[in-house]
Amino acid sequence: MNSGDTTSPAERLRLIQEHFLAPGATGPRAERVARTTEPAAAMRIDVYDHMRNAVTETVALAKELCDEHEPYEPRPAKLEHLYEWLVAETPHLDEERRQARDAVIYRQGLEHAILIGEADIIRRHPCPSCVTWGLVWDRHTKSVVCWNRHCADDDGQATRWTLAQLAEDHIARKNRRAARAT
């Protein structure tokens, strides 16, 4: 499974559902797992929790962005249509709220990629601070780290970013490029 830039958050969600959540799925794990003498669960509970949290957050965001009324259409049954549904239910948003919605979708896409073992997707982003290409995913702290030594703080500690911060920066850069192109 290659996570090229053409792989959307919805496609990653579909991959998670098909290859990692199905009974007996043996997809790669981003974390180390100790060997046990007990049989494994019928599905990966961490993957199930991740998907449930992503869907819950997306539905709650749709309700919040639709102001005081419920979204017009119910949440789609197929999860790969979840983000299309969110965008379709929120066409009335101003630029700032649209950017926030898109950042949530992009962040979830990054989370999906990391879950399926494609943490190298982080390297495709410039550092929000120094704009160099030295970002890596630190699985222990669950944060993005800039390896550029000139981007460190006064104590020499590497600059760290959350996935939400990285997503917000990415969407803002994308929107600025689009605005300049027109």
Side-chain angles (χ1 to χ4, degrees):
M1 288 181 282
N2 183 7
S3 67
D5 289 339
T6 59
T7 306
S8 69
E11 178 66 15
R12 285 190 190 102
L13 196 58
R14 185 188 63 74
L15 287 172
I16 290 170
Q17 187 175 20
E18 287 181 3
H19 298 287
F20 294 84
L21 193 59
T26 58
R29 293 178 178 257
E31 76 282 353
R32 292 184 60 159
V33 179
R35 304 261 185 233
T36 65
T37 57
E38 298 176 11
M43 71 173 116
R44 286 188 46 195
I45 304 302
D46 61 328
V47 174
Y48 174 78
D49 287 342
H50 170 81
M51 289 182 64
R52 187 187 65 210
N53 292 341
V55 171
T56 301
E57 179 184 20
T58 303
V59 170
L61 181 63
K63 288 180 181 179
E64 176 187 327
L65 294 176
C66 288
D67 296 323
E68 298 171 358
H69 23 325
E70 294 285 321
Y72 300 108
E73 297 291 326
R75 177 183 69 82
K78 291 189 174 190
L79 293 183
E80 65 259 26
H81 301 299
L82 183 67
Y83 300 116
E84 293 172 7
W85 168 78
L86 176 61
V87 171
E89 292 299 311
T90 56
H92 61 283
L93 299 179
D94 60 24
E95 186 60 34
E96 183 179 331
R97 292 174 73 195
R98 187 176 307 123
Q99 187 169 322
R101 175 202 64 201
D102 293 347
V104 168
I105 293 170
Y106 194 79
R107 176 189 48 82
Q108 285 191 8
L110 292 174
E111 291 171 351
H112 302 336
I114 290 168
L115 180 72
I116 61 177
E118 297 179 347
D120 63 330
I121 193 167
I122 299 301
R123 295 179 186 211
R124 298 183 184 139
H125 297 84
C127 175
S129 180
C130 67
V131 198
T132 61
W133 299 95
L135 295 181
V136 294
W137 176 249
D138 182 352
R139 65 184 174 95
H140 298 292
T141 62
K142 298 191 182 326
S143 63
V144 178
V145 179
C146 180
W147 278 6
N148 183 350
R149 65 184 176 95
H150 299 292
C151 192
D153 65 11
D154 294 337
D155 296 328
Q157 296 294 315
T159 306
R160 295 186 177 273
W161 305 96
T162 65
L163 289 176
Q165 291 169 319
L166 188 63
E168 289 168 6
D169 181 70
H170 174 79
I171 296 298
R173 286 178 193 274
K174 181 179 170 185
N175 288 346
R176 284 193 301 268
R177 282 191 307 268
R180 282 193 306 250
T182 57

